[in-house]
Amino acid sequence: MSVPLFNLAPNLTVSRLCLGTMTFGEQNSLPQSFHLLDEAFSAGINFFDSAEMYPVPQRAETQGRSEEYLGRWVRNRKISRDRVVLATKVTGPSGQMTWIRGGPMCLDAWNITKAIDNSLLRMQTDYIDLYQIHWPDRYVPMFGETEYDPIRQFSSVGIEEQLDALGRAVDAGKIRYTGLSNETPYGVMKFIQTAERASRCPRIVSVQNSYSLLCRNFDSGMAECCHHESLLAYSPLAMGILSGKYFLPDGGSAHARLNLFKGRYSEGESRYNMSNSIIKAASMEYLHIAGKYGLHPVSLAIGLISFLSLPHAMYTHLMKKYHAIYEVMVICAWYYHLKHILSSMNGASQLMGALSLECL
């Protein structure tokens, strides 16, 4: 059965599943990447996401390969450009990836413009369908952090300058639509507000944030924002944990990402620490439910994320019909209840790291 489609924006129809290319060029070779792309395209997936900093773990020698592999696949397979939707991202400030424009140090107009031009060259395409800011220029809690610390604020590039640069790229035909990633409700609304005030600034059409049964941050403030702006949920399998492979007697294949890059992939390990008892307990409960109802754990994890974005009436109907979905909702509610009990206890601040929404 082909993957269903939906309209992400006017004249932008995408498959409900998007294939990310974050591992192409590091964990996956060129032939392996082509095989994965072929399989996805044959199944009806037309939506492919990359980023200029990929693959991960990021390093100078491989930077840009994911975009390059994606572009080479489209050319090699002689796929008409209008049959695929290509998305990529500009790297936010880090200061650590010195091989990307010296850090990059900020997300000003010059950095955004240079990033777009370089991505177009690597992907061998005339335009990018969806161009996203990988993470904000300003300080926000991300990549496993959940609490905002105002002391860590710093001077950042204005949103109007960023949108103006993106708008110029739209006018030049280099990109079609713009989106955000790893954003907060405040950031989403400021981008929308700024675009409404300035006529030449493009309105964002999507937000790509982490969302899975082990990462439920989105269910608070972001859920309201994305009732109006589309969510592109990344890492629905929580970096493979929800597949169950890391709970096998041998701990999973040596080629599995969290094993292969152990100690080298801080962003992933900070989110999903396998020694965290809460993460393990929740994962084992989900695996138990999948087994009880004869579902593959991957089907349960991805299906639930799709299910949770349904209109309320359909959500309620299906909840009563499918017992596996109901049991998952009960477990989620139980962990939320446990979190609130602990938060009312003395010294709870020392426990909240393991029981934050990131872990649920």
Side-chain angles (χ1 to χ4, degrees), residues 125-183:
T125 186
D126 295 328
Y127 64 92
I128 297 163
D129 295 288
L130 176 63
Y131 197 70
Q132 305 150 102
I133 292 177
H134 206 154
W135 61 84
D137 185 82
R138 69 192 191 282
Y139 157 71
V140 296
M142 58 184 176
F143 303 137
E145 298 177 328
T146 56
E147 295 185 5
Y148 182 78
D149 182 0
I151 296 176
R152 296 173 63 185
Q153 291 185 95
F154 53 82
S155 178
S156 58
V157 176
I159 288 174
E160 187 164 352
E161 178 178 344
Q162 296 173 349
L163 282 177
D164 183 71
L166 293 169
R168 292 178 186 276
V170 172
D171 293 342
K174 296 179 180 180
I175 64 176
R176 296 179 63 199
Y177 295 96
T178 60
L180 303 173
S181 184
N182 296 298
E183 256 299 359

Side-chain angles (χ1 to χ4, degrees), residues 28-38 69 72-73 77:
N28 298 112
S29 65
L30 182 63
Q32 289 172 338
S33 301
F34 273 30
H35 176 70
L36 291 169
L37 289 162
D38 288 340
Y69 284 12
R72 288 175 65 178
W73 172 74
R77 298 299 193 253

Side-chain angles (χ1 to χ4, degrees), residues 166-204:
L166 293 169
R168 292 178 186 276
V170 172
D171 293 342
K174 296 179 180 180
I175 64 176
R176 296 179 63 199
Y177 295 96
T178 60
L180 303 173
S181 184
N182 296 298
E183 256 299 359
T184 66
Y186 171 82
V188 171
M189 299 316 297
K190 291 298 287 186
F191 269 89
I192 293 173
Q193 183 184 57
T194 302
E196 289 176 344
R197 285 202 315 258
S199 58
R200 69 165 289 109
C201 291
R203 181 186 174 92
I204 62 165

Side-chain angles (χ1 to χ4, degrees), residues 13-327:
T13 302
V14 302
S15 51
R16 283 202 170 271
L17 294 180
C18 173
L19 180 65
T21 63
M22 186 175 73
T23 60
F24 291 6
E26 181 69 57
Q27 187 176 359
N28 298 112
S29 65
L30 182 63
Q32 289 172 338
S33 301
F34 273 30
H35 176 70
L36 291 169
L37 289 162
D38 288 340
E39 290 291 314
F41 193 61
S42 296
I45 293 175
N46 72 343
F47 194 11
F48 302 95
D49 180 65
S50 193
E52 65 165 340
M53 64 168 273
Y54 290 166
V56 298
Q58 56 270 28
R59 53 194 181 100
E61 295 79 8
T62 58
Q63 184 258 319
R65 278 189 192 169
S66 298
E67 288 184 329
E68 178 191 339
Y69 284 12
L70 180 56
R72 288 175 65 178
W73 172 74
V74 174
R75 289 295 185 99
N76 182 275
R77 298 299 193 253
K78 296 180 172 56
I79 299 172
S80 175
R81 182 62 182 83
D82 61 2
R83 294 187 64 200
V84 292
V85 176
L86 301 182
T88 193
K89 315 178 199 73
V90 56
T91 302
S94 73
Q96 300 175 5
M97 290 177 276
T98 54
W99 53 89
I100 303 180
R101 298 181 301 281
M105 302 308 296
C106 68
L107 263 178
D108 59 8
W110 180 84
N111 271 283
I112 291 172
T113 302
K114 289 289 289 184
I116 291 171
D117 290 343
N118 289 335
S119 290
L120 288 170
L121 288 173
R122 281 189 292 269
M123 292 197 290
Q124 304 176 64
T125 186
D126 295 328
Y127 64 92
I128 297 163
D129 295 288
L130 176 63
Y131 197 70
Q132 305 150 102
I133 292 177
H134 206 154
W135 61 84
D137 185 82
R138 69 192 191 282
Y139 157 71
V140 296
M142 58 184 176
F143 303 137
E145 298 177 328
T146 56
E147 295 185 5
Y148 182 78
D149 182 0
I151 296 176
R152 296 173 63 185
Q153 291 185 95
F154 53 82
S155 178
S156 58
V157 176
I159 288 174
E160 187 164 352
E161 178 178 344
Q162 296 173 349
L163 282 177
D164 183 71
L166 293 169
R168 292 178 186 276
V170 172
D171 293 342
K174 296 179 180 180
I175 64 176
R176 296 179 63 199
Y177 295 96
T178 60
L180 303 173
S181 184
N182 296 298
E183 256 299 359
T184 66
Y186 171 82
V188 171
M189 299 316 297
K190 291 298 287 186
F191 269 89
I192 293 173
Q193 183 184 57
T194 302
E196 289 176 344
R197 285 202 315 258
S199 58
R200 69 165 289 109
C201 291
R203 181 186 174 92
I204 62 165
V205 301
S206 62
V207 183
Q208 185 176 161
N209 278 15
S210 180
Y211 189 42
S212 74
L213 291 174
L214 293 179
C215 178
R216 302 292 299 278
N217 305 39
F218 172 83
D219 288 335
S220 51
M222 283 299 296
E224 181 180 9
C225 291
C226 291
H227 180 70
H228 306 283
E229 314 301 327
S230 295
L231 168 71
L232 305 180
Y234 75 77
S235 199
L237 296 180
M239 297 188 178
I241 293 175
L242 290 170
S243 71
K245 61 186 176 183
Y246 295 108
F247 300 105
L248 296 172
D250 62 358
S253 167
H255 298 289
R257 190 189 321 169
L258 293 180
N259 292 335
L260 183 64
F261 301 131
K262 190 172 184 178
R264 295 174 49 203
Y265 188 27
S266 58
E267 290 92 342
E269 292 171 348
S270 64
R271 294 187 199 209
Y272 304 111
N273 188 332
M274 294 295 288
S275 64
N276 185 313
S277 60
I278 298 296
I279 289 179
K280 185 175 181 179
S283 299
M284 294 304 293
E285 288 285 359
Y286 295 139
L287 295 174
H288 172 73
I289 291 172
K292 180 178 178 180
Y293 293 99
L295 297 172
H296 193 287
V298 170
S299 298
L300 179 68
I302 293 180
L304 257 294
I305 297 308
S306 300
F307 170 81
L308 289 171
S309 64
L310 293 172
H312 180 72
M314 189 179 297
Y315 171 95
T316 304
H317 170 72
L318 291 175
M319 184 102 141
K320 294 177 180 177
K321 184 175 181 181
Y322 295 104
H323 299 291
I325 291 174
Y326 174 75
E327 286 206 29

